[in-house]
Amino acid sequence: MANNQAEVKKLMTGDNSACLLCGTKSSVVFVCLDFGSFICTFCAGVQYVTVSFISFAHLNSREHSYKVKGINLSKFTDEEVSFLKEAGNKVRFSTC
């Protein structure tokens, strides 16, 4: 598996430099691979807690879980990087 952290970090400009969910620019260090969006530490935690609650409510159904990766701690496949290049916060925000 390719590392590709440097490629993902290069994408953290413009709309991708701010959290898609709350707009903060101070701690954008995660990506949500389901939506191809860049999010902050707080919103990544909220997604995790919300998803965990929903999963528990649905008897641990995995259909509501999101794949969130830390940019500085994770390895990214070439396919994930391509998806982030195609999607990104501008594309996701325009479809909300």
Side-chain angles (χ1 to χ4, degrees):
M1 175 186 288
N3 186 339
N4 288 324
Q5 283 179 347
E7 289 296 314
V8 173
K9 287 180 181 180
K10 287 180 189 175
L11 298 174
M12 294 177 62
T13 60
D15 293 313
N16 294 339
S17 65
C19 177
L20 176 70
L21 301 174
C22 72
T24 189
K25 290 188 175 201
S26 63
S27 62
V28 177
V29 293
F30 289 92
V31 292
C32 179
L33 292 170
D34 298 278
F35 303 112
S37 58
F38 291 76
I39 56 177
C40 71
T41 304
F42 177 78
C43 291
V46 169
Q47 274 196 329
Y48 176 78
V49 170
T50 303
V51 168
S52 296
F53 176 75
I54 290 170
S55 294
F56 178 74
H58 290 283
L59 302 175
N60 293 322
S61 168
R62 299 293 292 172
E63 74 181 77
H64 295 292
S65 63
Y66 296 104
K67 188 171 185 179
V68 176
K69 280 188 171 183
I71 295 169
N72 295 318
L73 302 173
S74 302
K75 294 181 179 181
F76 295 88
T77 65
D78 293 335
E79 292 80 16
E80 291 170 337
V81 173
S82 294
F83 180 60
L84 290 169
K85 286 179 181 177
E86 292 172 14
N89 288 0
K90 186 172 186 172
V91 171
R92 291 296 127 208
F93 187 72
S94 67
T95 60
C96 291

